[in-house]
Amino acid sequence: MGGWWDMAAEELEQQYSPSRWSPRLGPDEVIQAHLAAAAAGTQRARAGAQTSLHVPYGDGDGEKLDIYLPTDPSGTFPVLVYIHGGYWQCLRGIYLCGHSAGAHLAAMVLATDWTEYGVVPDIKGAVLVSGVYDLEPILHTYVNDALHMSREVAQRNSPLLHIAPAAPAAAACKVLVAMAQHDSPEFRRQSREYVLALRAAGWSVSMLDLAGVDHFDIVEKLSEDSYILTQVILNMILRA
């Protein structure tokens, strides 16, 4: 049985272009709808929370984050760090949530040997949504026109290739890998293989295959209380 390396360039372009797989809208329309949904969700969140916006965490222009706090931030509360997608272009308990390329970045956090930096972050859970975990196939797609990754860089930054046996702290971290029914077969394959690799290394990992959603509305629906992924994330945090 062949793998991604047997695909023609046109097929790889198709597989790693999530907007081409939505049954709801055309490629351009689904991206515009996703941007509009994200902007509207941001406005709702800012209206209902205390915020510290554009807080720098590095020297680069893009190295900023937005912090949302409860309206009454008394006592302790968990922290959810959400990393958006866009193919890397566009000490309370910490929970990571990443979508698409953001899921890759969250997975790289899990793959990091933090002892090299003299810290042990208290990461209690990670929700990785429609992610990409092996970057080598992307070398042969339009995405690399902007990234200019070499094979060595792609392999060094592929979390699927850098899964260490789960230490006690890692074993306590709950990992959920979610994928959409209408993600491309390659995105779905990568999610399944990443789950199997984590499980084989002793990580506490589960997989959620969400029906009726595509690469974009799988996260747009997180604003809905009744959405299963919303409920799973809240349960993960509340049970800790």
Side-chain angles (χ1 to χ4, degrees):
M1 181 177 179
W4 66 262
W5 49 88
D6 291 325
M7 295 181 185
E10 295 80 4
E11 175 62 12
L12 273 176
E13 293 275 355
Q14 179 86 357
Q15 290 286 335
Y16 286 95
S17 299
S19 60
R20 300 186 188 184
W21 293 86
S22 173
R24 297 181 295 133
L25 298 166
D28 292 336
E29 291 81 5
V30 77
I31 291 174
Q32 292 305 313
H34 182 61
L35 293 175
T42 297
Q43 291 304 314
R44 289 194 302 271
R46 290 180 179 178
Q50 295 189 43
T51 61
S52 295
L53 305 178
H54 315 304
V55 178
Y57 61 86
D59 297 327
D61 290 339
E63 294 179 310
K64 296 181 175 65
L65 52 81
D66 294 338
I67 302 173
Y68 295 79
L69 297 169
T71 53
D72 180 21
S74 59
T76 60
F77 49 86
V79 175
L80 173 69
V81 180
Y82 176 74
I83 308 173
H84 62 76
Y87 270 135
W88 310 282
Q89 302 169 67
C90 4
L91 288 174
R92 292 177 294 271
I94 298 174
Y95 295 84
L96 301 175
C97 181
H99 170 237
S100 194
H104 160 268
L105 294 175
M108 288 297 291
V109 172
L110 298 182
T112 299
D113 181 3
W114 290 101
T115 59
E116 294 183 6
Y117 303 92
V119 296
V120 182
D122 184 18
I123 301 176
K124 293 183 175 297
V127 180
L128 312 177
V129 184
S130 292
V132 56
Y133 310 103
D134 178 5
L135 304 190
E136 193 168 349
I138 290 174
L139 295 177
H140 310 282
T141 73
Y142 74 96
V143 179
N144 206 40
D145 294 344
L147 298 177
H148 306 295
M149 285 189 298
S150 66
R151 188 164 184 262
E152 187 275 332
V153 168
Q155 291 180 342
R156 188 174 70 242
N157 290 282
S158 292
L160 183 61
L161 305 181
H162 300 284
I163 299 175
C173 174
K174 306 295 184 184
V175 181
L176 172 66
V177 177
M179 60 183 180
Q181 177 185 356
H182 299 295
D183 270 323
S184 75
E186 270 292 284
F187 269 77
R188 289 172 60 83
R189 175 191 66 80
Q190 288 216 15
S191 289
R192 289 192 297 266
E193 291 192 2
Y194 186 59
V195 167
L196 291 175
L198 284 175
R199 191 169 291 152
W203 288 72
S204 176
V205 58
S206 57
M207 186 169 70
L208 184 61
D209 190 350
L210 291 162
V213 291
D214 59 37
H215 188 82
F216 302 95
D217 62 350
I218 189 173
V219 289
E220 292 169 12
K221 290 178 176 289
L222 283 175
S223 61
E224 303 173 6
D225 291 340
S226 61
Y227 181 45
I228 184 172
L229 187 55
T230 305
Q231 295 177 346
V232 168
I233 293 173
L234 291 175
N235 286 336
M236 174 186 286
I237 294 173
L238 292 174
R239 290 178 180 174

